[in-house]
Amino acid sequence: MITCHVRYVIDPYQLAEFEAYAKAWLGIVERLGGTHHGYFLPSEGASNIAYCLFSFPSLADYESYRHIALTDAESTALVANLVEKKFIVSYERSFLRPLLP
């Protein structure tokens, strides 16, 4: 299993836009074979940092998801909205190997 951790720097004045974007990706990841562990939005402290975690059975499965998402109508519409509104300033993606009980 491979888990992707994403750290977002977001526009805090467009938190509602980011939240709508995140809710939509929850379903897309699941539909395309992954397990989404959720988004974690600002609460206390920094108002412009958010995180998400999602897993795929293997790195090859993750790469397949990325390839399919490039042509998926729902995901491309979300990206187009993001490009237009710019509610994500930047992001960092890391891949982790979970240690489970």
Side-chain angles (χ1 to χ4, degrees):
M1 176 187 292
I2 189 88
T3 298
C4 184
H5 170 268
V6 186
R7 178 186 183 271
Y8 296 96
V9 177
I10 62 173
D11 178 347
Y13 300 104
Q14 296 191 69
L15 183 56
E17 290 288 344
F18 179 78
E19 190 168 344
Y21 173 86
K23 283 181 182 177
W25 275 107
L26 292 169
I28 293 171
V29 167
E30 296 284 333
R31 179 169 52 83
L32 297 181
T35 301
H36 212 298
H37 308 292
Y39 280 82
F40 302 87
L41 306 177
S43 179
E44 295 295 322
S47 64
N48 67 332
I49 304 297
Y51 300 95
C52 84
L53 290 162
F54 57 93
S55 298
F56 281 87
S58 69
L59 187 56
D61 291 319
Y62 170 78
E63 291 297 334
S64 177
Y65 148 79
R66 294 269 299 165
H67 180 73
I68 294 167
L70 290 174
T71 59
D72 178 79
E74 187 179 4
S75 64
T76 56
L78 287 170
V79 172
N81 185 51
L82 166 62
V83 169
E84 177 187 338
K85 296 182 180 171
K86 298 178 178 30
F87 48 86
I88 296 175
V89 176
S90 65
Y91 67 93
E92 300 170 359
R93 186 175 21 216
S94 300
F95 294 93
L96 308 166
R97 178 181 49 90
L99 178 62
L100 303 170

